[in-house]
Amino acid sequence: MNLTRALGSIGGLTLASRVLGLVRDSLFARYVGAGFASDAFLVAFRLPNLFRALFAEGAFSAAFIPMFNQKVGDTAGDGLPTGLAFARDVLSVLLPILIVMTVVLELAAWPVTYMLSGGFNDVRADQFDFAVLLSRLTIPYLMLISLVSLLGGILNSLQKFWVNAAAPILLNLTLIAALLLFHASDPYGTARNQAIAVSISGVLQLLWLVLACRANGVRLGFRLPQVTPDVKKMLSLILPAAAGAGAVQINLVVSTALAASLLPHGSVTYIYMADRVNQLPLGLIGIGLGTVLLPLISRQLAAGEDAVAMTTQNRGLELALLLTLPATVALVLCGAPIVAALFEHGKYSALDTYYTAQALAAFSIGLPSYILVKVLTPGFYARSDTKTPVRLATLSMGVNLLLNLALIVPLKHMGPPLATALASTFNVVLLYRTLRLRGHFEPDARLKRRAWRLALAALAMGIILWLLEGLLTPYTHGGWAIRTGAMVVLVAAGGLVYAIMTFVLGAFARDDLSFLRRKRA
């Protein structure tokens, strides 16, 4: 497989989805602003986001793809019917579980909303009832996105990565259409329409995956539940994988609940908007790398190519650092103009921008670790080991809770993001150390030689951005064209300096391009 080409395909579609997500958030800031209505929707939206991260981008893929690949074999030839039979067995058990789960969550929407929000801070009974209503409207998305995960996992195993990567675009397009066509003068009405649009987008994503599967000869159908030994094994892997892959998202749920219960209204929105900007490089780099590396490493290990698998993971780490370090520096230093250009219009004020930029800087400190988790965990999942990541993630979640409690009062809206960043870094250290102790990963000479050079190149870029920020910040408050132009200049200048410095310092060379294009088994 061409690692770079596959990452480019997924990354390009994920970038399109994330850009549309920023458009959606910009419109949301315009029509809803930062207050209780926005906080209520974002709490209701947190649970679907959690499930999407755990299943669509984490646990289900981690448990299902290696087993499906073992059934299919190295090619999608004679082994494909066996793999599809396994997928049918999984669907027969998964669908009833999801239906029951959806009904239970709808009935328990009040305590679920309370758990996610801590009851909010200084809230009236009718306001909390409104938040519960929004949760009920978004809960069906959980079942739909889980079914999307099953079909997307099959297509990823067949190397049809782009189909699943394109699905989240439908979510953003649906929410954007709802904002443009059904926004109300009352922010509460707009928030309600957004919650309805979330579940509608789930239907559209499922339809997209069903049609794509049929176009690729994949037809599952429905059958009575059959809990086969393979299904039992996969189910036993899902829960550990969910906690292991979703440590960051679970940390965000804890942060959201503490912010909603202890901080003034609007704080949940500041943290959410900061996280959305932080998610742009995470989605483009981390999710793309994780999606490509898991099936690739699992196939290499199945073929007995342990050395090749280790080289693949080294190159994945190198690629992650190459793309992540400059993004980290840019978001920490230039958060204010970025947030102003994206969100500061309509009901979103300059004070909202200031607080959001502070939260973004705290989040971004952990950006390398968020992405390195996606690169390191395939080293466990490809070996059908989902218990170790969950054990380590549990430790990091404990650290996150302690840091949240310690930091939320003195740092306010910056406390939860900083706690999440530090806890994620702790998780990466544990994952890396465990892989090395087991002999499953060893940084090669090339990675050691280039890692510190990439850090120096990012630092040089940061100096230029710091000098330019003061000059360009006034233009981030103008019209749409002026805002866009200012951001293009800022990004282009930083990117050019970083590219030049990587070549000057020897952190990247033209010969690497031909290596990265080389086909891999």
Side-chain angles (χ1 to χ4, degrees):
M1 179 192 297
N2 188 323
L3 177 60
T4 307
R5 185 178 301 164
L7 176 61
S9 174
I10 297 170
L13 289 168
T14 305
L15 176 62
S17 176
R18 299 293 178 173
V19 169
L20 287 172
L22 290 177
V23 172
R24 178 197 81 202
D25 293 330
S26 180
L27 290 170
F28 185 84
R30 174 189 291 273
Y31 294 122
V32 183
F36 181 78
S38 62
D39 284 0
F41 169 74
L42 295 175
V43 165
F45 196 36
R46 175 59 68 193
L47 191 60
N49 268 334
L50 174 64
F51 261 70
R52 187 187 67 217
L54 297 189
F55 286 90
E57 299 163 0
F60 195 90
S61 297
F64 177 78
I65 288 178
M67 294 186 67
F68 185 84
N69 277 335
Q70 290 173 3
K71 302 292 182 183
V72 173
D74 292 335
T75 64
D78 295 336
L80 182 57
T82 304
L84 293 181
F86 167 63
R88 290 188 192 98
D89 291 338
V90 171
L91 178 61
S92 73
V93 174
L94 182 65
L95 184 58
I97 292 175
L98 292 173
I99 292 173
V100 171
M101 180 192 71
T102 301
V103 173
V104 170
L105 287 175
E106 288 286 356
L107 294 175
W110 196 98
V112 168
T113 304
Y114 193 93
M115 179 187 67
L116 292 174
S117 66
F120 288 100
N121 180 28
D122 188 26
V123 67
R124 302 191 311 266
D126 61 325
Q127 288 180 313
F128 188 79
D129 289 342
F130 176 72
V132 173
L133 170 65
L134 298 190
S135 294
R136 286 199 169 103
L137 292 174
T138 61
I139 282 171
Y141 184 84
L142 277 60
M143 177 178 68
L144 296 166
I145 200 62
S146 299
L147 296 174
V148 166
S149 303
L150 171 62
L151 301 180
I154 294 172
L155 292 175
N156 283 346
S157 294
L158 300 179
Q159 301 184 30
K160 306 295 182 181
F161 297 108
W162 72 272
V163 178
N164 197 35
I169 293 176
L170 294 172
L171 167 67
N172 290 318
L173 288 176
T174 304
L175 295 181
I176 288 171
L179 282 165
L180 291 175
L181 301 176
F182 301 103
H183 67 269
S185 57
D186 177 10
Y188 286 81
T190 304
R192 183 192 63 245
N193 293 338
Q194 283 289 279
I196 295 171
V198 169
S199 290
I200 292 175
S201 75
V203 175
L204 296 177
Q205 289 180 74
L206 181 58
L207 180 61
W208 165 253
L209 266 296
V210 168
L211 294 176
C213 281
R214 291 190 174 187
N216 286 277
V218 175
R219 295 174 181 267
L220 297 184
F222 298 98
R223 63 198 304 179
L224 292 176
Q226 297 185 22
V227 185
T228 65
D230 285 332
V231 172
K232 284 184 179 179
K233 179 180 178 182
M234 196 206 71
L235 291 175
S236 70
L237 295 174
I238 283 182
L239 288 179
V248 171
Q249 291 297 324
I250 293 171
N251 287 344
L252 287 172
V253 169
V254 173
S255 300
T256 299
L258 289 173
S261 60
L262 298 176
L263 299 179
H265 295 327
S267 298
V268 171
T269 304
Y270 304 146
I271 294 172
Y272 172 82
M273 291 299 186
D275 180 50
R276 291 296 298 165
V277 178
N278 186 57
Q279 287 285 330
L280 182 61
L282 175 59
L284 175 62
I285 306 165
I287 294 171
L289 273 172
T291 301
V292 173
L293 286 174
L294 177 56
L296 178 56
I297 294 175
S298 65
R299 278 197 301 274
Q300 290 168 343
L301 291 175
E305 299 174 342
D306 290 26
V308 177
M310 189 173 294
T311 300
T312 298
Q313 202 157 15
N314 267 281
R315 299 291 72 76
L317 271 170
E318 185 180 333
L319 194 56
L321 292 175
L322 172 71
L323 300 174
T324 304
L325 292 177
T328 302
V329 172
L331 292 179
V332 170
L333 293 179
C334 301
I338 291 173
V339 172
L342 291 172
F343 305 131
E344 192 182 314
H345 44 77
K347 291 181 170 64
Y348 215 80
S349 68
L351 185 61
D352 296 331
T353 293
Y354 176 72
Y355 290 148
T356 303
Q358 288 182 329
L360 175 58
F363 264 131
S364 301
I365 292 172
L367 182 57
S369 64
Y370 306 146
I371 292 176
L372 290 178
V373 166
K374 301 288 186 181
V375 178
L376 293 174
T377 50
F380 296 93
Y381 296 150
R383 296 174 172 87
S384 295
D385 176 10
T386 59
K387 293 183 178 179
T388 299
V390 70
R391 194 169 66 246
L392 303 182
T394 301
L395 292 174
S396 74
M397 284 185 283
V399 170
N400 176 68
L401 178 59
L402 293 175
L403 289 173
N404 262 289
L405 295 173
L407 298 176
I408 193 168
V409 173
L411 297 182
K412 295 184 172 56
H413 53 276
M414 291 182 66
L418 183 58
T420 300
L422 296 176
S424 180
T425 302
F426 178 69
N427 191 26
V428 165
V429 171
L430 294 179
L431 289 168
Y432 175 80
R433 181 174 177 272
T434 303
L435 284 173
R436 289 204 63 180
L437 288 175
R438 293 180 176 181
H440 293 162
F441 179 74
E442 182 70 31
D444 59 19
R446 171 171 156 176
L447 179 61
K448 292 177 180 177
R449 184 175 66 252
R450 294 189 172 182
W452 67 270
R453 290 179 168 88
L454 290 170
L456 280 181
L459 181 61
M461 182 203 74
I463 294 173
I464 299 301
L465 291 179
W466 181 71
L467 294 173
L468 286 175
E469 180 186 4
L471 297 175
L472 293 175
T473 294
Y475 297 98
T476 59
H477 300 274
W480 181 85
I482 296 176
R483 292 168 185 250
T484 303
M487 292 310 302
V488 168
V489 171
L490 195 64
V491 171
L496 180 61
V497 171
Y498 182 68
I500 292 173
M501 292 305 298
T502 56
F503 282 102
V504 170
L505 294 172
F508 199 75
R510 288 199 309 178
D511 291 344
D512 294 340
L513 299 176
S514 60
F515 175 83
L516 290 171
R517 285 192 296 266
R518 192 175 303 163
K519 296 276 187 178
R520 292 193 178 277

